């Protein structure tokens, strides 16, 4: 049995992927409220029912859009030497796609419901992000590594796991401030936090 | 002309206040999803239409519930010598009322829409909170005042306004983590952040 899907199933997967790419572009371009199912369906030449045939619900479609976005962002993480700097790059990019910031934040709250498709997504994504950040922060204390910024580290300094959780929280909270007031600069405060908390090797 | 409302208008205000207190209790007790308009109406002995007569919409009712909650929390801020410590107390209390955390977070995202009643509320509340925190942080550097925790302050250290924005962002972001995973401790990371960033006088 081939591990490559073929025939109608492969076509279905390809169509689903095409829908996700279009939906991601529509949300990024038209904003969360502009990204109706009708708008996304029009973009890929399907009826609304035809589009939803590929997903169990509108919520599942939106969670899959976030996963698709993560795949793009993961390239930033893979290309960066330093996951903490990659986080700052992603946050800077997010300021140009407020529709995706709103989609992410809406789904982050919807994830409170264990039955919602966003629940598992946010638990996995959070754990993976914090793990990646914490490993980078831990390596700061290894001699000759890291790109730590603080000339004098605070004492007491939070451990790597706590700092990782705080970076995630600050990034998510700054997104809420940015949604409410688009003039809010998300990058400068997050950069200040990184500069204050990272230890010089 | 009296500044005290009288007659039917005063009765209307009193009834509205009664509804808000009940709604706050229902959300705190039954959670966001348990706090339907029907549940709140039952609690105050009104029909759903009768209850909504006192508000322009369900969204306005929910924003007013948040304002009513702030009035309670403001007592914590007024009784505390230190607004930063008061924030930690409020966050600790919030862990016992996840329904209110969810209501707050939902409205924080809804506030992205300038037409939504939550928009003005979140802009005002955020500015007022950051102002109060920044004044406390500024007074840390005055000799003989403050309750600063860092034995060694980080260098570079963020200014008071940036630290205030980061404390707000971290508290809001930790609430999202807590909604997704109720075992998450919101207080310990926020305490670690305060301890790391406050300057000793």
């Amino acid at each position: 049995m081939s591990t490559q899907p073929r025939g109608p199933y492969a076509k279905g997967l390809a169509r689903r992927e095409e829908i996700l790419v279009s939906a991601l572009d529509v949300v990024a371009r038209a904003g969360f409220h502009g990204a109706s199912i009708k708008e996304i369906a029009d973009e890929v030449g399907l009826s609304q029912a035809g589009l939803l045939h590929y997903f169990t619900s509108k919520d599942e479609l939106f969670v899959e859009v976030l996963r698709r976005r993560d795949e793009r962002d993961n390239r930033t993480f893979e290309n960066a030497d330093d996951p903490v700097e990659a986080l700052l790059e992603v946050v800077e990019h997010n300021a140009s796609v407020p529709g995706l910031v709103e989609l992410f934040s809406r789904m982050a709250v919807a994830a409170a419901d264990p039955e919602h498709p966003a629940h598992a997504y946010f638990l996995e994504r959070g754990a993976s992000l914090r793990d990646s950040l914490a490993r980078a922060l831990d390596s700061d204390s290894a001699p000759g590594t890291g790109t730590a910024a603080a000339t004098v580290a605070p004492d007491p300094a939070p451990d790597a796991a706590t700092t990782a959780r705080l970076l995630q929280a600050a990034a998510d909270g700054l997104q809420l401030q940015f949604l409410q007031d688009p003039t809010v600069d998300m990058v400068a405060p997050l950069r200040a936090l990184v500069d204050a908390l990272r230890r010089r090797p």
Side-chain angles (χ1 to χ4, degrees), chain A:
Chain A
M1 192 178 147
S2 167
T3 53
Q4 281 295 319
R6 288 192 201 186
Y9 180 63
K11 276 189 197 158
L13 276 186
R15 196 74 167 122
R16 195 179 136 105
E17 176 64 12
E18 188 195 350
I19 294 167
L20 289 174
V21 171
S22 290
L24 182 58
D25 288 342
V26 172
V27 177
R29 193 177 65 229
F32 177 74
H33 292 283
S36 63
I37 293 295
K38 184 182 179 317
E39 186 78 20
I40 299 165
D42 284 354
E43 189 84 7
V44 288
L46 283 171
S47 68
Q48 297 182 53
L51 183 143
L52 285 174
H53 168 75
Y54 292 89
F55 302 90
T56 56
S57 65
K58 188 177 170 179
D59 284 336
E60 196 216 347
L61 164 62
F62 280 135
V63 171
E64 291 306 312
V65 167
L66 290 176
R67 282 191 211 278
R68 193 70 192 65
R69 199 253 304 239
D70 286 344
E71 283 171 28
R72 289 191 187 175
D73 288 348
N74 282 344
R75 274 177 242 150
T76 306
F77 278 87
E78 279 156 22
N79 290 336
D81 290 333
D82 178 359
V84 179
E85 289 301 317
L87 175 68
L88 282 157
E89 259 182 70
V90 166
V91 169
E92 184 167 13
H93 172 69
N94 285 347
S96 65
V97 282
L100 285 170
V101 173
E102 182 164 355
L103 174 62
F104 178 91
S105 301
R106 277 187 185 270
M107 291 292 127
V109 179
D113 174 6
E115 304 300 315
H116 194 286
H119 183 71
Y121 165 74
F122 274 93
L123 288 183
E124 284 160 27
R125 184 186 176 280
S128 160
L129 174 66
R130 289 192 301 275
D131 185 56
S132 158
L133 294 173
R135 271 184 288 122
L137 293 162
D138 256 340
S139 77
D140 285 350
S141 36
T145 62
T147 53
T151 309
V152 179
D155 178 19
D159 59 34
T162 302
T163 301
R165 190 178 281 290
L166 283 167
L167 290 177
Q168 179 194 6
D172 291 349
L174 286 165
Q175 290 201 140
L176 294 177
Q177 294 177 27
F178 167 75
L179 285 177
Q180 294 155 11
D181 174 3
T183 69
V184 166
D185 178 357
M186 297 186 281
V187 175
L190 203 60
R191 163 66 66 198
L193 182 61
V194 167
D195 285 353
L197 293 187
R198 291 198 97 168
R199 285 160 291 172
R200 170 162 283 211

